[in-house]
């Protein structure tokens, strides 16, 4: 028995970089994909939104328009989507990549009904290029796609193992929450996701589980109903 049958997994770009912090670490990607394969074997429908911060962290230090910087980020997410596709298929997991900006030679364009069809056929669907619009984060893309495909939950992979009252690296008194509401996140400005993504999840009643990706097996435990990380409802 699994707790959720259709999930949206949000991976940051950095999650794919491992200790290198930049680029793609094959062993790290392989570990993450091994856990995704286990979800797949449990008949969980898995859609993925991946970030791009391992290749492009924004325009800091560069003179450029926000829009240009954001488009560069969307291209970075597409690189990561292709890397995940290859790693999953090497493990025998069928996948489809869909991008929010058309790049037909590289991947399918995002079509909601086709994405749902792929999920029904038990293919892992990987969404690249964020929402396709500048000024939106990949967290917002995750919230949007989760709402569109009717995901029961978003699994938000972080380098930290849940939501804390303050930054535990800076504040020793920071406490981890087991459960919290979207309103708390907005009111306490907890920086779990940006406010657009948070509002989108809240308005559409999509729960979120924030967990540490250092142990990819956490995903499997969450699906099996273990209380890992922080649940946001
Ligand atoms: P079903 O017909 O529902 O089984 O889906 P399918 O994805 O197997 O069928 P389709 O014929 O659409 O796709 C066959 C292959 O071509 C898959 O690997 C798709 O990812 C790929 N594909 C489909 N459309 C595009 C596209 O616009 N661009 C690229 N690059 N690949 C595509």
């Amino acid at each position: 028995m699994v707790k959720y049958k259709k999930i949206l997994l949000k991976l940051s770009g950095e999650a794919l970089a491992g200790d290198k912090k930049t680029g793609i670490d094959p062993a790290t990607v392989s570990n993450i994909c091994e856990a995704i394969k286990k979800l797949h074997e449990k008949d969980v429908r898995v859609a993925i939104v991946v970030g791009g911060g391992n290749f492009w962290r924004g325009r800091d230090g560069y003179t450029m328009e926000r829009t240009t910087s954001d488009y560069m980020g969307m291209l970075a997410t597409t690189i990561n989507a292709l890397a995940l596709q290859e790693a999953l298929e090497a493990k025998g997991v069928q996948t489809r990549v869909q991008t929010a900006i058309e790049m037909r030679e590289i991947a399918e364009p995002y079509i909601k009904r086709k994405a749902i069809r792929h999920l029904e056929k038990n293919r892992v669907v990987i969404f690249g290029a964020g929402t396709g619009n500048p000024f939106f984060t990949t967290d917002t893309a995750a919230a949007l796609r989760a709402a569109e495909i009717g995901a029961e939950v978003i699994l938000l992979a972080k380098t930290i193992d849940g939501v804390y009252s303050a930054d535990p690296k800076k504040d020793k008194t920071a406490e981890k929450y087991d459960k919290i509401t979207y309103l708390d996140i907005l009111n306490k400005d907890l920086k779990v996701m940006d406010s657009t993504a948070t509002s989108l999840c809240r308005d559409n009643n999509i729960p979120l589980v924030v967990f540490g990706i250092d142990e990819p097996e956490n995903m499997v435990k969450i699906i099996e109903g273990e209380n890992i990380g922080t649940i946001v409802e």
Side-chain angles (χ1 to χ4, degrees), residues 96-97 103-109 114 117-118 121 123:
R96 294 290 185 268
V97 174
M103 323 186 192
R104 279 212 109 112
E105 288 76 6
I106 296 175
E108 293 176 33
K114 220 164 151 53
R117 188 86 191 101
H118 290 321
K121 292 192 173 178
R123 296 163 180 154

Side-chain angles (χ1 to χ4, degrees), residues 80-106:
N80 287 332
L82 295 176
L84 284 170
Q85 174 167 51
E86 284 300 312
L88 283 166
E89 296 206 337
K91 293 180 190 296
V93 179
Q94 283 278 315
T95 68
R96 294 290 185 268
V97 174
Q98 293 195 339
T99 55
I101 292 176
E102 226 181 84
M103 323 186 192
R104 279 212 109 112
E105 288 76 6
I106 296 175

